[in-house]
Amino acid sequence: MKYIHIIKFLMTYDLTHLKECWQAEFTRRKRVSIYRILISHIRINSTHKKYLFWWRLAHEMYMHGNKKQKEIAWNIQKKLVYKFKIDIHLGAKIGKNLHFPHPYSITIGENVTIGENLFIHQNVTIGYGHGHMHIIMGDNVYIGSNSVILGGEIKIGNNVKIGAMSFVNKDIPDNCTVYTQKTNTIIRNN
């Protein structure tokens, strides 16, 4: 029954943004029909691409669908979190070409806006929670594993690299690399 609502959504909604994202993330071609994208999705064995396909669809249904379609979007989201252990909230705005080579334990809150070409490793949290927090990221951002980006209003520029195990709670300008310095303390046990 849910597939009928998904098909109705795909037939009635303006799919321009969804199609652009799917093309960039699955086919790498300039012009492709939705049919080709669906066939491409069926043949894909990549975990993160399977997740992205369904998350993009659920996100568009949540943002633009009717009440029943939004309910289906939430159900898809719950299943995605359970199956893939990735929790990207449906309200998050993410540009095309999202990559996560190790798609485990990634959390992106609903008050996050991300540009194109985000490369994100495992165990990353970006703006989790509700409230006054709003994080805006530019294009071509790289985030190393085990990083956390939290705080109030944070702007991260274009072409930014965030090193592994970093904690970011303030603005980062364009064309920067940021990391959190860590020191090891060794205590000899007698």
Side-chain angles (χ1 to χ4, degrees):
M1 189 68 179
K2 76 175 181 182
Y3 293 111
I4 292 170
H5 293 285
I6 292 171
I7 290 169
K8 282 182 183 178
F9 176 77
L10 290 173
M11 292 175 68
T12 58
Y13 172 67
D14 176 22
L15 298 173
T16 306
H17 177 71
L18 180 61
K19 189 175 173 184
E20 286 174 1
C21 290
W22 277 349
Q23 282 176 311
E25 292 161 351
F26 300 116
T27 65
R28 305 280 187 214
R29 295 182 186 168
K30 296 268 184 195
R31 294 185 187 126
V32 178
S33 69
I34 290 293
Y35 172 76
R36 283 273 189 208
I37 292 170
L38 294 173
I39 295 300
S40 159
H41 165 68
I42 291 169
R43 294 180 181 160
I44 287 175
N45 291 327
S46 169
T47 302
H48 89 273
K49 290 193 178 196
K50 289 264 186 211
Y51 175 87
L52 267 179
F53 178 87
W54 285 104
W55 182 82
R56 292 271 185 208
L57 177 61
H59 172 73
E60 292 297 321
M61 289 177 71
Y62 174 76
M63 297 302 283
H64 305 288
N66 61 33
K67 185 178 178 182
K68 183 65 177 173
Q69 292 164 343
K70 287 181 183 194
E71 183 181 315
I72 291 169
W74 273 111
N75 288 333
I76 292 171
Q77 170 71 359
K78 286 179 204 171
K79 288 179 182 178
L80 289 173
V81 171
Y82 178 77
K83 182 175 182 178
F84 295 101
K85 308 302 184 247
I86 300 171
D87 187 8
I88 301 176
H89 288 228
L90 294 177
K93 296 168 190 72
I94 301 175
K96 56 188 171 188
N97 283 330
L98 173 61
H99 300 283
F100 23 83
H102 304 290
Y104 306 103
S105 195
I106 295 170
T107 303
I108 300 176
E110 64 184 332
N111 295 332
V112 175
T113 303
I114 299 173
E116 297 181 2
N117 304 316
L118 173 66
F119 197 94
I120 184 171
H121 281 278
Q122 70 273 13
N123 301 322
V124 171
T125 299
I126 304 172
Y128 187 74
H130 308 284
H132 305 293
M133 187 182 320
H134 190 98
I135 297 171
I136 300 172
M137 291 184 172
D139 296 334
N140 306 314
V141 175
Y142 171 92
I143 303 173
S145 59
N146 300 307
S147 294
V148 177
I149 302 169
L150 287 175
E153 299 286 325
I154 298 175
K155 291 185 181 173
I156 297 173
N158 297 318
N159 307 311
V160 169
K161 293 179 183 172
I162 299 172
M165 297 176 58
S166 292
F167 178 74
V168 177
N169 63 351
K170 54 184 148 188
D171 294 351
I172 301 172
D174 291 347
N175 305 312
C176 286
T177 298
V178 64
Y179 65 94
T180 301
Q181 279 189 311
K182 298 163 264 309
T183 59
N184 289 331
T185 303
I186 299 173
I187 301 172
R188 291 188 178 252
N189 298 326
N190 294 332

